[in-house]
Amino acid sequence: MEGRLVTVFGGSGFLGRYVVQRLADRGDRIRSAGRRPQEALFLKPLGEVGQIHTVQANIRDDASVERAIADADAVVNLVGILAETGKQKFAALQGEGAGRIARLAKQHGVKALVQMSAIGADENSPAAYARSKARGEALVREHFPEATILRPSIVFGPEDDFFNRFAKMARMAPALPLISGQSRFQPVYVGDVADAVRAALDPDSPARGKTYELGGPRTYTFEELLKLMLKEIMIKRPLVSIPMPIAKLQAQLLQFLPNPPLTPDQLKMLARDNVVADDAVTLEDLGITPTPLEAILGEYLEHYRPRGQFAKPSAH
């Protein structure tokens, strides 16, 4: 393969598989770096023989990161977690880990770096997740000033953990919980975010050194998103508002589950709007037209319908 070598940290994740495919389609060689490379072998068929390979890397360790970026022309960091478990802490991964990648990428002569952050990244946020994202951005800017930082809102797509989770819940539960139902979100299609990564890595990209906020063409309240999801899966469920004191108590208990549906930190994030700022540079500035949520959602939620793909919801 003659294309550039791009190391993608977190290449096996939900967003990562789309980024890897976009880069492979362009002819880049991709090195997917993660803690368990055997779980990323499904990426290989996304490119030609030998175009995509996987390596072990732990972004908490300098030597591990150095091996993963050796000889790379560009680096993409997609590593992120929604809840802390064991040694996987917000500060270590989304803060110091992002800074480590940027520092070593600069030392090893990497030409371009894309850092995936999130709308809401704020060093003064009450949520540890958002503070760690802001810390990661600051360290990336310190070590690799010309990096491109991308801040998406909720990312949706076939493997997402948002709509799929609530759709599964709707099939089993008699009602859906509604917490901070009027908080606003601007869901962005995973393919558009992957296109933004690819655009930022173009050799003549104007994105170098900039921070982009990525959102879809519409904003929705949390309540509106749940109603839209229920319409797509053709299941009727009441939405039950959960008072914040009760939600906090539930989150305190649920956070200890292996894959917690709600944590106290997530509750703090839910209480804040998650939309693109009025003065932000956006997908359109990268030449990307945002994909409407309604154009995609039904395509991957249809198997949750009572009659699966044979059931068709009414027109929007």
Side-chain angles (χ1 to χ4, degrees), residues 12 30 57 64 75 134 136 167-168:
S12 63
I30 297 103
S64 180
V75 169
K168 290 175 185 176

Side-chain angles (χ1 to χ4, degrees), residues 18-70:
Y18 290 86
V19 170
V20 168
Q21 186 165 37
R22 294 300 197 274
L23 297 180
D25 289 345
R26 189 173 61 183
D28 291 334
R29 293 175 294 135
I30 297 103
R31 180 186 290 153
S32 175
R35 289 190 303 142
R36 292 182 285 269
Q38 70 278 7
E39 295 181 4
L41 296 177
F42 71 92
L43 295 172
K44 288 180 175 288
L46 299 180
E48 297 179 17
V49 175
Q51 187 178 9
I52 300 168
H53 67 283
T54 64
V55 296
Q56 197 282 333
N58 184 338
I59 67 170
R60 303 195 309 269
D61 176 70
D62 273 30
S64 180
V65 172
E66 283 193 281
R67 287 193 297 270
I69 65 174

Side-chain angles (χ1 to χ4, degrees), residues 98-118:
R100 176 173 291 106
I101 289 171
R103 170 171 55 83
L104 294 171
K106 175 59 71 173
Q107 289 178 8
H108 285 266
V110 171
K111 299 178 179 65
L113 171 65
V114 175
Q115 167 68 24
M116 192 61 58
S117 185

Side-chain angles (χ1 to χ4, degrees), residues 178-185 219-227 239 241 244 269-275:
L178 187 63
I179 303 170
S180 297
Q182 297 310 304
S183 294
R184 296 186 304 136
F185 300 87
T219 62
Y220 307 79
T221 64
F222 188 34
E223 182 177 7
E224 289 171 337
L225 289 176
L226 291 186
K227 288 181 176 179
L239 302 180
S241 294
M244 190 55 71
M269 292 189 289
L270 277 175
R272 291 192 167 193
D273 288 344
N274 194 271
V275 298

Side-chain angles (χ1 to χ4, degrees), residues 121-140:
D122 180 358
E123 62 181 6
N124 297 313
S125 172
Y129 173 91
R131 293 196 302 272
S132 69
K133 285 290 190 180
R135 174 62 174 164
E137 289 187 9
L139 290 173
V140 167

Side-chain angles (χ1 to χ4, degrees), residues 180-248:
S180 297
Q182 297 310 304
S183 294
R184 296 186 304 136
F185 300 87
Q186 198 168 346
V188 58
Y189 177 48
V190 63
D192 293 340
V193 180
D195 284 338
V197 173
R198 180 173 60 182
L201 290 180
D202 285 342
D204 56 350
S205 173
R208 302 294 167 81
K210 296 181 181 178
T211 298
Y212 291 78
E213 296 198 352
L214 312 182
R218 279 190 56 191
T219 62
Y220 307 79
T221 64
F222 188 34
E223 182 177 7
E224 289 171 337
L225 289 176
L226 291 186
K227 288 181 176 179
L228 178 59
M229 178 275 298
L230 288 170
K231 181 177 180 179
E232 289 292 354
I233 66 173
M234 302 178 67
I235 293 177
K236 293 183 179 180
R237 292 288 184 269
L239 302 180
V240 180
S241 294
I242 307 296
M244 190 55 71
I246 295 178
K248 289 180 179 178

Side-chain angles (χ1 to χ4, degrees), residues 157-175:
E159 305 86 4
D160 71 45
D161 192 45
F162 183 82
F163 289 107
N164 280 292
R165 176 175 295 202
F166 283 105
K168 290 175 185 176
M169 191 182 301
R171 293 191 69 175
M172 298 181 293

